[in-house]
Amino acid sequence: MANLNGRARQENTYDAIVVGSGITGGWAAKELTQKGLKTLVLERGPMVRHLEDYPTATMDPWQTKYPQGQLPSDELNAKYPVQKRTGYTLTEYTRHFFVRDDQNPYTEESRYDWIRGYHVGGRSLTWGRQSYRHSPIDFEANAREGIGVDWPIRYEELAPWYDHVERFIGVSGQAEGLPHLPDGQYQPPMEMNCVEKAFKAKSEARFPERRITMGRTAHLTDPTEEQLALGRTKCQYRNMCIRGCPFGGYYSSNSGGLVAAERTGNLVIRPGSIVTSLIYDEKAGKATGVRILDATTRQEEEFYADVVFLCASAFNSAWIMMNSTSSRFPNGFGNGSDQLGRNVMDHHLGVGASGEAPEFADMYYSGRRPNGIYVPRFRNLGDAATKRSDYLRGFGYQGGASRPGWDRDLTRPGQDPSGPRGFGAARKAALSQPGPWIIGLGGFGEILPYEDNRITLNRDKTDEFGLPTLSMNVTIRENELAMRRDMQTAAAEMLEAAGFKNVEGRDGGYAPGLGIHEMGTARMGRDPKTSVLNAHNQVHECKNVYVTDGAAMTSASCVNPSLTYMALTARAADHAVQARKRGDL
């Protein structure tokens, strides 16, 4: 039952409510509490406490139930038919950080790989950690090319907030001085290995416009006093990041934003709280709070605040808004533009090239490295030399070189075909030596915002709580297909220019969602008639509701988006605090 009496309302009233505790929810909580607002964070999943709730963080390979932690196909097919599609995320080490698809259904009008984690910290525990800024050309592209709508902000307005975020989370990387990949506040970069250094030298000599740098990643290589005071330490290079890091070597909400928020004394986290709708006061013309369904008791409750931040991820924030209908918003909250749920974007990937480097057979390295090399975008940079006639926008490459270890498959390409198979002393001897050097590049390409790439509310199909679910209808088009052809060709020619052997281009196929970068379902814009959010991430039609996760994105760029989400969130939180002080909310 909803809270009906004054005392209950008072007990459930805060200055601010944040829906979601992942990469943006953690940041909203940090910024709002540090600026003095009593803040309630509502998370639909269970609590995950830093240090205490990473059950596989130190598990060794011989401690798993299944070889290499690979779950049996029966379990994958029955419980995780969507989550398993990435091929790399769902293992015995990680399954507790991903949803069960049989319990969290949705409808695929066209295939959409919706990879999710419902728990405190969300996907900030399992993210890829690559951290790049959008560039000036990214913020200007829609207006310049007549695609979608114009971003209501430019790079210069967000740059100070990128600085703010990078200093707090800690990003290791190399400044390059490229206008299309702006530099930031970096801790020392990780080191390339010998094959990557050779690749950089030879490929850049042949293609000087294709810079090769070390990946910029949210790992601490020289932690600041602030980061140490939060209990975080230098990255241990364990390469077990996706299990949760007890060292706080990489940034997550659990090790950073929520810790800082808790220390203010202004934070309350309520796990198991499924926000079902926004409460709108038509007389006041603003939202007064949210309704939740308690995941344990199945009881409804209401919570109230002056400010609401939706940070539940692009699809779930849009779901809350679509499910919040009223006489004022009959088609969904703030949806006067009919853009809510539209313009779904992701990054298309799964295409590139690989090769072998046999001339380095006597070269070795020790240890691990939770990072790789990065090739910034080099197509369509605004000049004639980089312009492509067959597609708009561009792509970058992520990749690296390594030698497979003792658990490698001796039957895979690149292995000596005359070598040992199966069992026995010969196989043991072979696996005691490192495998051949393999180098690969994988493209991350920009997807344009198509209005008919959309999610819709499906009231005919409900989940275990009786709540409506989503239907997905998202596809890539000719622009993306043309880009994929170039992504494969350009990767192969770079590897060949470096003199590597057995270079093979590949396109392993892609379905929307596989990039795990869903964006665009409540885009920012200048005009309330064509967008849902304004330049400060406020809902045009209800200024005390902010949406700062991937839903807000007006275009996708070709770089990993989480750093931009965090910067937008910090900027929006500052705006909300100032607006509240002025009495504008």
Side-chain angles (χ1 to χ4, degrees), residues 114-192:
W114 193 14
I115 311 301
R116 293 169 282 171
Y118 291 161
H119 46 260
V120 169
R123 289 182 296 191
S124 79
L125 286 169
T126 57
W127 68 309
R129 310 170 307 283
Q130 292 289 298
S131 299
Y132 306 95
R133 298 183 178 201
H134 283 212
S135 71
I137 62 172
D138 293 320
F139 287 98
E140 298 163 4
N142 278 6
R144 185 175 60 250
E145 298 164 352
I147 302 294
V149 298
D150 188 15
W151 277 88
I153 59 173
R154 289 292 182 260
Y155 172 76
E156 291 73 18
E157 296 171 75
L158 200 57
W161 298 101
Y162 278 127
D163 289 341
H164 178 60
V165 171
E166 288 162 347
R167 289 192 183 101
F168 181 77
I169 69 175
V171 177
S172 73
Q174 177 70 52
E176 294 286 349
L178 300 174
H180 53 283
L181 190 76
D183 296 328
Q185 308 299 319
Y186 299 133
Q187 297 188 7
M190 298 179 184
E191 186 178 2
M192 293 183 187

Side-chain angles (χ1 to χ4, degrees), residues 179 231 290 294 352 356 368 371 382 392 395 402 413 471 476 494 548 564:
V290 300
D294 188 294
E356 299 173 30
R368 309 175 185 90
N371 195 7
L392 300 172
F395 58 87
S402 62
S471 293
I476 58 173
M494 290 174 70
T548 67
T564 298

